[in-house]
Amino acid sequence: MSDAPSTTQSRRIAGALARYRIMAFITGTLLLIVFAGLIRYIPGLEGLKETLDPTMFVVAQLHGFVFIVYLAAVTHLWLLMGWRTGRLIYMAAGGVVPLLSFFAERRVHAEVSAQLEEAK
């Protein structure tokens, strides 16, 4: 009976980790698409384009909305784990720095999984 809170807490952490992983992959993928699509707007590569492609506008908007959900998933996991503020900033930056969400997700998943295994 005394380990019930830790079991419940472990389930909550495992659920938060799963949501974080899904959102990290979705957000990272959308960010890579936006980044790849916007490279062609760099002056000197193919000439300066003055208007944004409508498809890129939609993908960029979608990334913005998904990023908000990603921040909620990051914050939830961060609160459950009781980490320092630097970890929150590192994880949140994954939604705006290309490829960082994939590296951060791998590192966070390994650390949280190890802690959950240790708690068993």
Side-chain angles (χ1 to χ4, degrees):
M1 192 71 139
S2 64
D3 65 355
S6 66
T7 303
T8 303
Q9 184 71 0
S10 293
R11 281 192 210 133
R12 291 178 70 201
I13 291 172
L17 179 62
R19 286 185 293 278
Y20 166 72
R21 291 187 77 194
I22 291 167
M23 292 312 302
F25 284 125
I26 294 171
T27 305
T29 302
L30 285 173
L31 181 60
L32 285 177
I33 293 169
V34 169
F35 184 74
L38 292 179
I39 285 179
R40 65 183 175 175
Y41 293 97
I42 296 175
L45 291 181
E46 290 183 23
L48 184 61
K49 304 226 187 314
E50 301 224 357
T51 60
L52 187 63
D53 181 19
T55 305
M56 287 310 306
F57 179 76
V58 171
V59 174
Q61 290 291 315
L62 180 61
H63 172 264
F65 288 116
V66 169
F67 179 65
I68 299 300
V69 178
Y70 171 74
L71 285 179
V74 164
T75 304
H76 186 228
L77 181 61
W78 176 76
L79 287 171
L80 289 175
M81 295 303 295
W83 286 325
R84 294 179 185 242
T85 307
R87 179 66 62 95
L88 175 66
I89 294 168
Y90 170 68
M91 292 167 61
V96 293
V97 177
L99 297 176
L100 182 60
S101 68
F102 301 109
F103 295 114
E105 181 278 326
R106 187 169 180 97
R107 182 177 175 189
V108 168
H109 178 259
E111 185 176 329
V112 173
S113 295
Q115 286 184 4
L116 289 176
E117 283 296 318
E118 187 179 291
K120 285 185 180 180

PDB file of all heavy atoms in Angstrom, residues 37-53:
ATOM      1  N   GLY A  37      12.253  24.393 -46.487  1.00  0.00           N
ATOM      2  CA  GLY A  37      11.499  25.216 -47.423  1.00  0.00           C
ATOM      3  C   GLY A  37      11.934  26.666 -47.435  1.00  0.00           C
ATOM      4  O   GLY A  37      11.842  27.344 -48.468  1.00  0.00           O
ATOM      5  N   LEU A  38      12.440  27.143 -46.314  1.00  0.00           N
ATOM      6  CA  LEU A  38      12.844  28.549 -46.237  1.00  0.00           C
ATOM      7  C   LEU A  38      14.284  28.781 -46.670  1.00  0.00           C
ATOM      8  O   LEU A  38      14.682  29.929 -46.875  1.00  0.00           O
ATOM      9  CB  LEU A  38      12.635  29.078 -44.815  1.00  0.00           C
ATOM     10  CG  LEU A  38      11.172  29.190 -44.382  1.00  0.00           C
ATOM     11  CD1 LEU A  38      11.086  29.696 -42.947  1.00  0.00           C
ATOM     12  CD2 LEU A  38      10.385  30.098 -45.309  1.00  0.00           C
ATOM     13  N   ILE A  39      15.060  27.738 -46.847  1.00  0.00           N
ATOM     14  CA  ILE A  39      16.447  27.902 -47.302  1.00  0.00           C
ATOM     15  C   ILE A  39      16.488  28.596 -48.664  1.00  0.00           C
ATOM     16  O   ILE A  39      17.378  29.388 -48.928  1.00  0.00           O
ATOM     17  CB  ILE A  39      17.162  26.536 -47.354  1.00  0.00           C
ATOM     18  CG1 ILE A  39      17.488  26.091 -45.944  1.00  0.00           C
ATOM     19  CG2 ILE A  39      18.431  26.600 -48.192  1.00  0.00           C
ATOM     20  CD1 ILE A  39      18.165  24.751 -45.865  1.00  0.00           C
ATOM     21  N   ARG A  40      15.510  28.302 -49.498  1.00  0.00           N
ATOM     22  CA  ARG A  40      15.532  28.897 -50.837  1.00  0.00           C
ATOM     23  C   ARG A  40      15.287  30.406 -50.834  1.00  0.00           C
ATOM     24  O   ARG A  40      15.455  31.063 -51.848  1.00  0.00           O
ATOM     25  CB  ARG A  40      14.516  28.210 -51.732  1.00  0.00           C
ATOM     26  CG  ARG A  40      13.103  28.414 -51.285  1.00  0.00           C
ATOM     27  CD  ARG A  40      12.177  27.655 -52.155  1.00  0.00           C
ATOM     28  NE  ARG A  40      10.824  27.780 -51.622  1.00  0.00           N
ATOM     29  CZ  ARG A  40       9.784  27.311 -52.193  1.00  0.00           C
ATOM     30  NH1 ARG A  40       9.907  26.689 -53.337  1.00  0.00           N
ATOM     31  NH2 ARG A  40       8.604  27.455 -51.662  1.00  0.00           N
ATOM     32  N   TYR A  41      14.890  30.950 -49.682  1.00  0.00           N
ATOM     33  CA  TYR A  41      14.670  32.387 -49.591  1.00  0.00           C
ATOM     34  C   TYR A  41      15.924  33.139 -49.149  1.00  0.00           C
ATOM     35  O   TYR A  41      15.912  34.354 -49.019  1.00  0.00           O
ATOM     36  CB  TYR A  41      13.518  32.696 -48.626  1.00  0.00           C
ATOM     37  CG  TYR A  41      12.193  32.218 -49.163  1.00  0.00           C
ATOM     38  CD1 TYR A  41      11.668  31.003 -48.768  1.00  0.00           C
ATOM     39  CD2 TYR A  41      11.498  32.968 -50.094  1.00  0.00           C
ATOM     40  CE1 TYR A  41      10.465  30.549 -49.274  1.00  0.00           C
ATOM     41  CE2 TYR A  41      10.296  32.532 -50.604  1.00  0.00           C
ATOM     42  CZ  TYR A  41       9.790  31.315 -50.194  1.00  0.00           C
ATOM     43  OH  TYR A  41       8.592  30.870 -50.705  1.00  0.00           O
ATOM     44  N   ILE A  42      17.023  32.432 -48.922  1.00  0.00           N
ATOM     45  CA  ILE A  42      18.282  33.080 -48.549  1.00  0.00           C
ATOM     46  C   ILE A  42      18.840  33.784 -49.786  1.00  0.00           C
ATOM     47  O   ILE A  42      18.984  33.164 -50.843  1.00  0.00           O
ATOM     48  CB  ILE A  42      19.292  32.050 -48.015  1.00  0.00           C
ATOM     49  CG1 ILE A  42      18.769  31.430 -46.722  1.00  0.00           C
ATOM     50  CG2 ILE A  42      20.661  32.704 -47.796  1.00  0.00           C
ATOM     51  CD1 ILE A  42      19.640  30.318 -46.181  1.00  0.00           C
ATOM     52  N   PRO A  43      19.148  35.065 -49.672  1.00  0.00           N
ATOM     53  CA  PRO A  43      19.676  35.786 -50.829  1.00  0.00           C
ATOM     54  C   PRO A  43      20.973  35.156 -51.331  1.00  0.00           C
ATOM     55  O   PRO A  43      21.821  34.749 -50.560  1.00  0.00           O
ATOM     56  CB  PRO A  43      19.939  37.193 -50.292  1.00  0.00           C
ATOM     57  CG  PRO A  43      19.146  37.304 -49.048  1.00  0.00           C
ATOM     58  CD  PRO A  43      19.005  35.918 -48.505  1.00  0.00           C
ATOM     59  N   GLY A  44      21.078  35.073 -52.649  1.00  0.00           N
ATOM     60  CA  GLY A  44      22.285  34.567 -53.260  1.00  0.00           C
ATOM     61  C   GLY A  44      22.216  33.098 -53.647  1.00  0.00           C
ATOM     62  O   GLY A  44      23.035  32.625 -54.403  1.00  0.00           O
ATOM     63  N   LEU A  45      21.262  32.344 -53.112  1.00  0.00           N
ATOM     64  CA  LEU A  45      21.182  30.934 -53.459  1.00  0.00           C
ATOM     65  C   LEU A  45      20.460  30.734 -54.791  1.00  0.00           C
ATOM     66  O   LEU A  45      20.969  30.087 -55.682  1.00  0.00           O
ATOM     67  CB  LEU A  45      20.481  30.132 -52.358  1.00  0.00           C
ATOM     68  CG  LEU A  45      21.245  29.992 -51.051  1.00  0.00           C
ATOM     69  CD1 LEU A  45      20.463  29.152 -50.064  1.00  0.00           C
ATOM     70  CD2 LEU A  45      22.612  29.375 -51.282  1.00  0.00           C
ATOM     71  N   GLU A  46      19.280  31.270 -54.915  1.00  0.00           N
ATOM     72  CA  GLU A  46      18.520  31.158 -56.165  1.00  0.00           C
ATOM     73  C   GLU A  46      17.902  32.497 -56.541  1.00  0.00           C
ATOM     74  O   GLU A  46      16.912  32.549 -57.242  1.00  0.00           O
ATOM     75  CB  GLU A  46      17.400  30.127 -56.016  1.00  0.00           C
ATOM     76  CG  GLU A  46      17.858  28.705 -55.904  1.00  0.00           C
ATOM     77  CD  GLU A  46      16.680  27.755 -55.846  1.00  0.00           C
ATOM     78  OE1 GLU A  46      15.581  28.114 -56.302  1.00  0.00           O
ATOM     79  OE2 GLU A  46      16.861  26.649 -55.350  1.00  0.00           O
ATOM     80  N   GLY A  47      18.436  33.529 -56.033  1.00  0.00           N
ATOM     81  CA  GLY A  47      17.819  34.823 -56.246  1.00  0.00           C
ATOM     82  C   GLY A  47      16.826  35.071 -55.114  1.00  0.00           C
ATOM     83  O   GLY A  47      16.310  34.147 -54.511  1.00  0.00           O
ATOM     84  N   LEU A  48      16.579  36.300 -54.829  1.00  0.00           N
ATOM     85  CA  LEU A  48      15.712  36.657 -53.717  1.00  0.00           C
ATOM     86  C   LEU A  48      14.242  36.534 -54.115  1.00  0.00           C
ATOM     87  O   LEU A  48      13.800  37.135 -55.077  1.00  0.00           O
ATOM     88  CB  LEU A  48      16.027  38.087 -53.261  1.00  0.00           C
ATOM     89  CG  LEU A  48      15.270  38.588 -52.052  1.00  0.00           C
ATOM     90  CD1 LEU A  48      15.574  37.715 -50.842  1.00  0.00           C
ATOM     91  CD2 LEU A  48      15.667  40.016 -51.748  1.00  0.00           C
ATOM     92  N   LYS A  49      13.515  35.737 -53.365  1.00  0.00           N
ATOM     93  CA  LYS A  49      12.080  35.604 -53.579  1.00  0.00           C
ATOM     94  C   LYS A  49      11.390  36.603 -52.655  1.00  0.00           C
ATOM     95  O   LYS A  49      11.754  36.762 -51.510  1.00  0.00           O
ATOM     96  CB  LYS A  49      11.643  34.188 -53.272  1.00  0.00           C
ATOM     97  CG  LYS A  49      12.392  33.140 -54.063  1.00  0.00           C
ATOM     98  CD  LYS A  49      11.429  32.146 -54.626  1.00  0.00           C
ATOM     99  CE  LYS A  49      12.048  30.963 -55.287  1.00  0.00           C
ATOM    100  NZ  LYS A  49      13.090  31.055 -56.169  1.00  0.00           N
ATOM    101  N   GLU A  50      10.384  37.264 -53.180  1.00  0.00           N
ATOM    102  CA  GLU A  50       9.744  38.315 -52.397  1.00  0.00           C
ATOM    103  C   GLU A  50       8.531  37.845 -51.625  1.00  0.00           C
ATOM    104  O   GLU A  50       8.172  38.433 -50.627  1.00  0.00           O
ATOM    105  CB  GLU A  50       9.349  39.460 -53.334  1.00  0.00           C
ATOM    106  CG  GLU A  50      10.554  40.012 -54.048  1.00  0.00           C
ATOM    107  CD  GLU A  50      10.553  41.496 -54.070  1.00  0.00           C
ATOM    108  OE1 GLU A  50       9.612  42.107 -53.589  1.00  0.00           O
ATOM    109  OE2 GLU A  50      11.525  42.048 -54.582  1.00  0.00           O
ATOM    110  N   THR A  51       7.889  36.784 -52.075  1.00  0.00           N
ATOM    111  CA  THR A  51       6.696  36.309 -51.374  1.00  0.00           C
ATOM    112  C   THR A  51       6.901  34.864 -50.918  1.00  0.00           C
ATOM    113  O   THR A  51       7.614  34.095 -51.545  1.00  0.00           O
ATOM    114  CB  THR A  51       5.448  36.370 -52.274  1.00  0.00           C
ATOM    115  OG1 THR A  51       5.673  35.549 -53.419  1.00  0.00           O
ATOM    116  CG2 THR A  51       5.157  37.792 -52.707  1.00  0.00           C
ATOM    117  N   LEU A  52       6.252  34.544 -49.841  1.00  0.00           N
ATOM    118  CA  LEU A  52       6.344  33.207 -49.286  1.00  0.00           C
ATOM    119  C   LEU A  52       5.390  32.276 -50.018  1.00  0.00           C
ATOM    120  O   LEU A  52       4.249  32.632 -50.306  1.00  0.00           O
ATOM    121  CB  LEU A  52       5.988  33.250 -47.795  1.00  0.00           C
ATOM    122  CG  LEU A  52       6.175  31.981 -46.991  1.00  0.00           C
ATOM    123  CD1 LEU A  52       7.654  31.582 -46.975  1.00  0.00           C
ATOM    124  CD2 LEU A  52       5.703  32.194 -45.566  1.00  0.00           C
ATOM    125  N   ASP A  53       5.865  31.100 -50.340  1.00  0.00           N
ATOM    126  CA  ASP A  53       5.049  30.073 -50.973  1.00  0.00           C
ATOM    127  C   ASP A  53       3.854  29.765 -50.062  1.00  0.00           C
ATOM    128  O   ASP A  53       4.026  29.570 -48.865  1.00  0.00           O
ATOM    129  CB  ASP A  53       5.912  28.826 -51.181  1.00  0.00           C
ATOM    130  CG  ASP A  53       5.175  27.695 -51.851  1.00  0.00           C
ATOM    131  OD1 ASP A  53       4.145  27.948 -52.478  1.00  0.00           O
ATOM    132  OD2 ASP A  53       5.655  26.549 -51.738  1.00  0.00           O
TER     133      ASP A  53
END
